Amino acid sequence: MSKTYNIAVIPGDGTGPEVVAEGIKVMNAVSEKAGFKVDLTYFDFGGERYLKTGETLPESAIEELKQFDAMYLGAIGHPDVKPGILEKGILLELRFKLDQYINLRPVKLFPGIDCPIKDKAPEHIDFVVVRENTEGLYAGAGGVLKKGTPDEVAIQESINTRKGVERCIRYAYEYCKKRNKDNKLTLCGKTNVLTFAFDLWERTFYEVAKEYPGIKPDYAHVDAITMWFVKNPEWFDVIVTDNMFGDIITDLGAMIQGGMGIAAGGNINPEGVSMFEPIGGSAPKYKGQNKINPLAAICAAGIMLEHLGEEKSGKEIEEAVMKVTANHLKSLAAGKMGLSTTEVGDLVAKYVSEL
Ligand code: IPM
Ligand code: MN
C-alpha cells in the first residue's frame, strides 16, 4: 500500500488558484515517481466567498482542517474587500487557531536569477528565517480611546510569553542543527530599545543555547540586520525573530533572493497541522492571464513535502526549480518570464520526472 497524504487546498484569491494548480502539477509528478499519493480537498475560503456570504471562515473550518496532514494555500486578498478583513479573518485566524507558531521562510538565491545586490551569487545568499507566528504585535492586544477626537489614544501591544518565545527559539536551534550548514543561529531583536520584550527573548535565547553546544548563538539588532542583508547576506545561516520583525525582514529577504515570485514559506505547528504558501500575495492585476510566476507556490509545495517526511521529493522539486531558473526564465517578474504560468509549471514537472 502506498502512502497517501491528505492535503487541504485553499487556492484563495487573485492569482492564488493559478499558482496552486502548478504546484499541484509538480506534486503529482514527484509523487508518481516516489510512489506516494496526495489526496486533495478544496476549500473556497477567500474574498469571493466573503463577498457572497459575509463570512471569512465558517465556524466548522478549524476543526475540519485539523484532520488533514497539511494545508496548501494560494493567496488571500481581494481588491473589493477592505484591507484587514481577509488577512485577519482568514490568514491570521488560521495561523492562530491552528497554533502554527513558526513561520519558516527560506531565503535562497537560485542560479540564473538576477540578484539586485551587486556581486552576490547563490553561494552568498542561503539562509532561513524562523519567525514567531502567533504572538508579538500580531496578537491583537490593545485598543482605542476617544476615537476620532483630538485626544484619541491608540495602543497596540506586543505580547511575548515565555512559552511562546521558548518554543520558537527551541524550534530554531533544532532547525539549525538539522540544517547543519554554518551551525550559527542569529537572534534578530532590538534589545537596546524594546527592553521588556527582547530581554525575555535574549535570556531565553542564551539559556536554550546551553543545550546546543554545536550551535553558535549570535545576535543582531533588527535595523542592523536589514543593513547586513544587503551588505553581507553570507553571514547568515538561521535567524530567529519575533512576528513583526520577521514579517519585515522576510520581505527584504524575498527581494535579495530575486523577488516575491520565488519566495515561499510554511506556517508550522510541529505538533499539529501546518500550512504552506507562496508569500507574494494575490496580485489581482494579473489574475487569469497566465502570466504570474508559479515558482514560489511550487517551492511551497516542496517545503510541504519535506515537512511531511518526503524529503527526497522536496529536494527534487527545489532542484527542478533551479534548472528552470538557470536555463529558461528571462525574469522572475509576472509577464516578463518569457514563459507563461502553465509553461513554467510544465517545465518543473518535466525536470522532476527526469531527475
Ligand atoms: C505575510 C503577510 C501577512 C503578515 C499579512 C497578509 C497579514 O504580510 O505573510 O508576511 O503580515 O503576516
Ligand atoms: Mn509580510
Side-chain angles (χ1 to χ4, degrees), residues 105 131 138 247-248 250-251:
R105 296 188 162 180
R131 163 186 174 187
Y138 278 70
D247 178 48
I248 297 167
T250 54
D251 267 24

Side-chain angles (χ1 to χ4, degrees), residues 194-238:
L194 306 181
T195 51
F196 308 129
F198 279 95
D199 177 57
L200 173 57
W201 276 84
E202 193 181 35
R203 269 185 289 119
T204 311
F205 183 70
Y206 287 106
E207 274 172 36
V208 178
K210 293 184 194 134
E211 296 169 37
Y212 294 87
I215 310 279
K216 183 178 179 298
D218 172 49
Y219 175 81
H221 291 320
V222 62
D223 48 348
I225 228 168
T226 62
M227 187 171 75
W228 304 130
F229 271 19
V230 174
K231 197 166 174 291
N232 296 98
E234 64 278 5
W235 284 355
F236 299 105
D237 177 10
V238 180

Side-chain angles (χ1 to χ4, degrees), residues 294-344:
L295 288 180
I298 292 171
C299 289
I303 302 173
M304 175 162 77
L305 292 182
E306 269 189 54
H307 176 81
L308 288 169
E310 299 294 340
E311 295 188 350
K312 183 161 173 279
S313 296
K315 289 261 161 14
E316 284 179 356
I317 291 181
E318 191 179 85
E319 259 178 71
V321 168
M322 284 189 196
K323 293 205 159 134
V324 173
T325 60
N327 303 307
H328 300 278
L329 282 196
K330 286 212 186 88
S331 156
L332 287 181
K336 296 184 182 150
M337 298 187 290
L339 293 168
S340 67
T341 307
T342 45
E343 284 170 336
V344 173

Side-chain angles (χ1 to χ4, degrees), residues 6 23 47 74 77 85 109 129 133 138 193 226 242 272 289:
N6 293 307
I85 293 178
L109 179 62
V129 177
N133 212 29
Y138 278 70
V193 175
T226 62
D242 83 350
Q289 297 179 26

Side-chain angles (χ1 to χ4, degrees), residues 41-254:
T41 306
Y42 285 82
F43 292 84
D44 66 351
F45 311 142
E48 294 298 335
R49 180 196 165 104
Y50 173 75
L51 289 170
K52 259 188 253 138
T53 65
E55 192 174 58
T56 45
L57 277 184
E59 246 171 67
S60 57
I62 298 297
E63 284 315 308
E64 224 176 305
L65 289 167
K66 280 184 185 165
Q67 310 306 315
F68 288 86
D69 295 311
M71 297 155 65
Y72 187 43
L73 172 71
I76 297 292
H78 195 291
D80 301 337
V81 182
K82 194 172 150 228
I85 293 178
L86 302 173
E87 292 86 343
K88 284 177 101 169
I90 301 177
L91 186 61
L92 298 182
E93 187 74 4
L94 291 171
R95 288 177 181 170
F96 292 173
K97 289 274 171 63
L98 295 168
D99 205 18
Q100 293 166 341
Y101 61 86
I102 299 297
N103 195 325
L104 192 70
R105 296 188 162 180
V107 176
K108 184 166 176 168
L109 179 62
F110 286 173
I113 289 178
D114 239 353
C115 179
I117 309 176
K118 186 162 72 69
D119 300 334
K120 296 295 176 195
E123 64 266 29
H124 301 115
I125 301 180
D126 182 5
F127 60 87
V128 178
V129 177
V130 176
R131 163 186 174 187
E132 201 291 320
N133 212 29
T134 54
E135 300 193 337
L137 282 166
Y138 278 70
V144 285
L145 286 173
K146 302 182 184 174
K147 189 167 179 169
T149 75
D151 297 326
E152 180 162 350
V153 180
I155 298 173
Q156 195 89 47
E157 286 165 319
S158 174
I159 305 294
N160 299 264
T161 67
R162 172 71 197 208
K163 178 181 154 193
V165 168
E166 185 170 333
R167 66 183 181 175
C168 177
I169 286 174
R170 280 187 184 282
Y171 183 91
Y173 274 105
E174 274 302 321
Y175 188 86
C176 188
K177 183 173 162 187
K178 187 155 171 250
R179 175 170 152 96
N180 196 19
K181 189 179 166 254
D182 303 333
N183 289 295
K184 174 177 166 185
L185 178 64
T186 304
L187 171 64
C188 165
K190 190 74 187 170
T191 51
N192 53 348
V193 175
L194 306 181
T195 51
F196 308 129
F198 279 95
D199 177 57
L200 173 57
W201 276 84
E202 193 181 35
R203 269 185 289 119
T204 311
F205 183 70
Y206 287 106
E207 274 172 36
V208 178
K210 293 184 194 134
E211 296 169 37
Y212 294 87
I215 310 279
K216 183 178 179 298
D218 172 49
Y219 175 81
H221 291 320
V222 62
D223 48 348
I225 228 168
T226 62
M227 187 171 75
W228 304 130
F229 271 19
V230 174
K231 197 166 174 291
N232 296 98
E234 64 278 5
W235 284 355
F236 299 105
D237 177 10
V238 180
I239 296 169
V240 63
T241 191
D242 83 350
N243 209 340
M244 187 80 258
F245 291 165
D247 178 48
I248 297 167
I249 68 170
T250 54
D251 267 24
L252 179 56

